[in-house]
Amino acid sequence: MLKSSNIDSVLNELPEPAESNVDLASTHSPKTSPKLSTETTTSSKHQDIDCSLASLQLSAGVLQIAEPPLGHVRVQLRELIGRQNKIYIDLSKEKYKLDCSEVAKLNDMMNDVRRYKDKLIKIKKEMQSIYQRTKDLKKRAANVATCKQRDYQRKLDRQHHEESLIGGQ
């Protein structure tokens, strides 16, 4: 985790590019350069100075364009790191609030939850088994009742038949 002091030191070590490049451009300008006696060395020196002046001006322009967003990003980065540090400190405080006894209590409660969950699953299976057996018994009782009803009806039919035979004689 980055600490705000680390990022501040990194960000503060960065040179201010716009100021340093402007100073370099003013020191290397052709007005302040020494004049040489020979024409060939003067023209080559003048071309070198012009190239370096153009490159310095170009880099200064690029820095003028890029520096405001970079400054904004630096500010946002410092804010983000500050918030991260605050959250880290808050989490550390909460962690230290839980001492060993509270952690042990928490572990015991988690074990109880596991044990009770297993018991609940076992009871649920038993209830499903009882429901299935009850369903089967009801079906069987309905079949027995139907069979008894048929037997009773047959018995009555046989009795009526016998009475009709006896009464017909």
Side-chain angles (χ1 to χ4, degrees):
M1 163 166 217
L2 288 176
K3 294 187 178 178
S4 59
S5 59
N6 291 346
I7 192 66
D8 288 337
S9 65
V10 171
L11 291 176
N12 290 335
E13 287 178 9
L14 294 175
E16 292 298 325
E19 295 173 5
S20 62
N21 285 342
V22 171
D23 293 340
L24 290 174
S26 64
T27 58
H28 287 1
S29 67
K31 294 179 184 176
T32 59
S33 65
K35 294 186 178 183
L36 298 176
S37 60
T38 62
E39 180 100 10
T40 58
T41 57
T42 305
S43 66
S44 68
K45 279 285 190 187
H46 188 62
Q47 287 175 351
D48 289 341
I49 291 173
D50 284 342
C51 288
S52 66
L53 179 63
S55 65
L56 287 175
Q57 288 174 344
L58 181 63
S59 63
V62 168
L63 285 175
Q64 286 176 350
I65 292 170
E67 189 172 13
L70 286 176
H72 183 67
V73 168
R74 281 184 184 150
V75 169
Q76 287 180 335
L77 188 59
R78 284 187 182 127
E79 288 176 13
L80 178 65
I81 290 171
R83 289 178 187 159
Q84 275 184 334
N85 286 337
K86 185 178 180 226
I87 290 172
Y88 178 75
I89 289 168
D90 291 344
L91 286 174
S92 296
K93 287 178 183 177
E94 289 298 321
K95 178 183 169 189
Y96 289 119
K97 282 182 183 178
L98 295 173
D99 62 349
C100 293
S101 66
E102 289 177 344
V103 171
K105 286 179 186 177
L106 184 62
N107 286 334
D108 288 341
M109 286 191 324
M110 293 304 290
N111 289 334
D112 289 344
V113 166
R114 247 184 252 118
R115 189 175 66 240
Y116 291 137
K117 181 183 174 192
D118 292 340
K119 284 183 178 181
L120 182 64
I121 290 171
K122 186 178 176 181
I123 291 171
K124 184 179 177 183
K125 286 180 182 178
E126 287 178 16
M127 287 178 65
Q128 286 175 346
S129 172
I130 291 170
Y131 171 75
Q132 189 64 37
R133 288 190 323 219
T134 305
K135 187 177 162 185
D136 292 341
L137 285 174
K138 284 181 181 179
K139 188 177 178 181
R140 189 170 170 193
N143 286 339
V144 168
T146 306
C147 287
K148 283 195 173 197
Q149 184 71 24
R150 269 189 260 142
D151 288 344
Y152 181 70
Q153 188 65 34
R154 285 182 194 155
K155 189 176 182 182
L156 281 177
D157 288 342
R158 195 176 317 134
Q159 227 176 12
H160 285 295
H161 182 65
E162 288 176 2
E163 287 177 3
S164 66
L165 288 176
I166 293 176
Q169 289 179 356

